[in-house]
Every structure is written in C-alpha cells, then in structure tokens.
Amino acid sequence: MSFPDSSVPDPSAHSQRKHQARGERRIAQILGAAEDLIADMGVQAVSMNAIARRAGISPGSLYQYFPGKDAVVEEMSRRLVVQLQHAKRRVSWTSSQPVQPTPETVIDLLLEAVMFLAQEHPALPALLVSTEPTEPNALLKAIARSLPRPGAVHDEDVTRDLAALIFCTGLGLAVRHPDPAVLLRPTRQAVLSALRPTEDPQPSACPPPTSQTETSAPAAR
C-alpha cells in the first residue's frame, strides 16, 4: 500500500487557499465599507445597496457573503469583540489595578478600553446605541458579560442587560461629546447603581399615623 508523497504540493489545496484568501479580502473590504457608512449615517440608515456601492461591488456579490445587513453588523460586532479583549488587556497593563478588582475598577477598565477602541473604529458609537436589529449584537453581549456581577437581585440577566444598556448609551454619547468625561462620570455612577441591589420596601407592621381629626371620636351632643 502506498501513500502520497507529502513533499509534492497539492494543486487543489493551493487553489483552495488562494480562493479562501480572496474571500477574506473581500469580506474585509465589505466590512470596511459598512463601517465607514455606519460611522457617517448610523446603523438604521445604511442599506445593503449602499454597502455594495461603497465597497465597489455589485449587490449580488455582496449577498454571496452576507444574507442581509444584520449579518454584516453581527460580523463587524464579532470582530470588535476580539479587539475589545485586546484593548482591555492593553489598558490593564498600563493601569494600576488592585489585586482584588472591585465593581468600580472593573467598570473603569471597561470604559477606558471601549473609549480606546472607539478612537480606532468610528462606527463603534453607532453600534453601541443601535436598536437594529432588536436582538443585541455580539459587541453588546460581550460588554454585558464584562460588567461586574450584580448583587442579590431578582433577575441577574435582566439587571446586567439594563446596566449594559446604560453603559452603551452613555458611552455612545460620550464619544461624540467635546469633553467625554462630562458624560462618562454619570454613566459610571448610573451603571453602578443599576448593578447594586435595592431592597424592596417592606410593609410597616403598624398602620400609618393619622391626623388628630381622623382619630378623634365625634363629640357627644
């Protein structure tokens, strides 16, 4: 029984690699065009036809790679998640964090990392505040997972999603502000407040006090 000589190049494998490399370049071209448009117009205003025009390809070619705009946004978000992890590590290396992270330091690191990433990706603010599609994209989900765990609350997932919504909305606005710190400080405080447990008001064991006229019996005539 003989085996093929592994030292001989496989023409089919070489052709497959070239085809894959062309596909990756085309995807990067599409995502770059979509990011430019989203940075200028926002997610809602961008269409597949506009992405195709900006990328210099036909709509039919675009649909070969992505079935719709939601898929384009999701792939952009997925790649930004990877870069967000790198940004968080870069920020943590240059900042002095305590041995035991606190909710405050975790949020500070995340704010700084996302702000750093926004400088390289102008479409990031629009992605953070986008309500389209209704299902949160990969970036929003990653930010929600990166937030500190909430305290003793009734529904941890809902609480963390609310905190992530506050975080993304505040940061999306802060990036566009001339002085981002003006909005970052209240955003930080609002996120912390959302994650902290709140006690449900307990009914009082005693009835509320009433006024003198309500408790006094009518005067006998």
Side-chain angles (χ1 to χ4, degrees):
M1 183 177 180
S2 61
F3 294 92
D5 186 355
S6 60
S7 63
V8 178
D10 183 357
S12 62
H14 177 68
S15 175
Q16 185 178 6
R17 285 194 296 270
K18 287 182 63 177
H19 180 74
Q20 185 176 1
R22 284 197 300 270
E24 285 296 327
R25 288 195 298 270
R26 179 56 58 86
I27 290 174
Q29 178 185 356
I30 292 168
L31 295 177
E35 184 169 359
D36 290 343
L37 288 170
I38 290 173
D40 293 339
M41 307 165 58
V43 176
Q44 285 79 3
V46 174
S47 66
M48 289 290 278
N49 286 338
I51 295 172
R53 284 195 299 271
R54 179 64 67 94
I57 61 177
S58 68
S61 296
L62 174 58
Y63 280 102
Q64 290 179 2
Y65 293 93
F66 296 100
K69 185 177 72 174
D70 290 356
V72 176
V73 171
E74 186 62 24
E75 180 61 20
M76 286 178 56
S77 302
R78 188 186 66 80
R79 297 189 179 206
L80 284 171
V81 169
V82 176
Q83 296 187 46
L84 176 61
Q85 303 308 319
H86 294 321
K88 286 168 61 179
R89 284 194 290 269
R90 192 180 308 179
V91 169
S92 63
W93 290 338
T94 58
S95 62
S96 55
Q97 295 291 333
V99 177
Q100 183 64 35
T102 64
E104 289 80 5
T105 58
V106 171
I107 292 174
D108 288 343
L109 187 147
L110 187 59
L111 281 170
E112 189 172 350
V114 177
M115 287 293 293
F116 178 84
L117 194 60
Q119 296 175 1
E120 299 180 350
H121 295 275
L124 184 62
L127 291 172
L128 291 177
V129 299
S130 171
T131 57
E132 182 185 324
T134 54
E135 177 69 18
N137 59 52
L139 180 61
L140 302 182
K141 292 178 181 178
I143 288 175
R145 290 193 301 267
S146 300
L147 290 172
R149 292 193 62 181
V153 293
H154 295 301
D155 193 322
E156 181 176 326
D157 291 338
V158 171
T159 300
R160 185 172 279 184
D161 287 346
L162 173 61
L165 179 62
I166 296 170
F167 180 98
C168 293
T169 302
L171 197 140
L173 297 172
V175 171
R176 300 185 177 98
H177 198 276
D179 184 5
V182 171
L183 294 177
L184 289 177
R185 284 190 292 268
T187 297
R188 175 184 187 269
Q189 187 56 46
V191 172
L192 287 169
S193 298
L195 292 171
R196 288 179 180 136
T198 56
E199 296 182 0
D200 292 333
Q202 299 297 323
S204 175
C206 301
T210 56
S211 65
Q212 179 74 24
T213 57
E214 292 175 339
T215 55
S216 301
R221 295 183 180 273

